[in-house]
Amino acid sequence: MVLAFRISSDPADLDRERVHRWLSTDAYWAIGRPREVQDAAIDGSRNYGAYDEASGDQVAYARVVTDGVTFAWLCDVYVDRSVRGEGVGVALVGHVVTEIRALGVGRIVLATGDAHGLYERFGFAAIDAPERWMMLGAS
């Protein structure tokens, strides 16, 4: 059976407890992230959820930090293990990229340790001049 799902950018639809559990216990980049930090991140970002049409349960999440004009950072992309391989991640990322591009944002960045193939489908590529990028804080 193929999973039927909908994608929403309405923050009221988010299952914040589920998002926090996913990220803080199963996402290598956010292990141990406190709930109050996750809630603050949600409040300061554009958020996207994918929801099972049959049950209404949230099955995936993505967050975008952006000024809405020149720059966006796609982060915290997570698909519940029970629905991986069902096309939810592809649909979610495609929706996010389409929506952010429609704003006129010219640069979307992300970091991934294991999903390069997913993001390459949407035109993401290694940074041309990584020596020009810098970071302050934990890596």
Side-chain angles (χ1 to χ4, degrees):
M1 182 172 163
V2 175
L3 176 70
F5 57 91
R6 69 178 176 85
I7 296 172
S8 171
S9 59
D10 183 348
D13 290 342
L14 292 175
D15 183 338
R16 288 175 176 242
E17 188 280 323
R18 181 173 292 192
V19 169
H20 175 254
R21 185 178 67 249
W22 282 336
L23 296 178
S24 67
T25 65
D26 194 40
Y28 65 86
W29 64 90
I31 296 293
R33 183 181 289 169
R35 173 68 189 264
E36 62 273 9
V37 170
Q38 184 60 49
D39 283 342
I42 287 171
D43 292 341
S45 303
R46 289 177 176 262
N47 300 275
Y48 300 85
Y51 303 86
D52 181 324
E53 286 280 15
S55 68
D57 291 340
Q58 187 169 351
V59 295
Y61 174 72
R63 184 167 69 87
V64 177
V65 180
T66 184
D67 61 10
V69 180
T70 64
F71 182 84
W73 171 39
L74 174 59
C75 56
D76 286 347
V77 178
Y78 186 91
V79 177
D80 188 272
R81 288 183 178 273
S82 68
V83 298
R84 290 184 186 170
E86 300 284 334
V88 176
V90 173
L92 180 60
V93 171
H95 180 93
V96 170
V97 168
T98 298
E99 189 169 289
I100 298 302
R101 286 282 195 204
L103 296 173
V105 174
R107 179 175 292 133
I108 305 172
V109 299
L110 61 84
T112 184
D114 60 358
H116 295 80
L118 167 65
Y119 298 112
E120 286 169 350
R121 292 180 182 195
F122 299 98
F124 286 93
I127 293 173
D128 287 336
E131 69 278 1
R132 291 175 46 187
W133 289 81
M134 299 177 73
M135 183 171 75
L136 174 65
S139 54

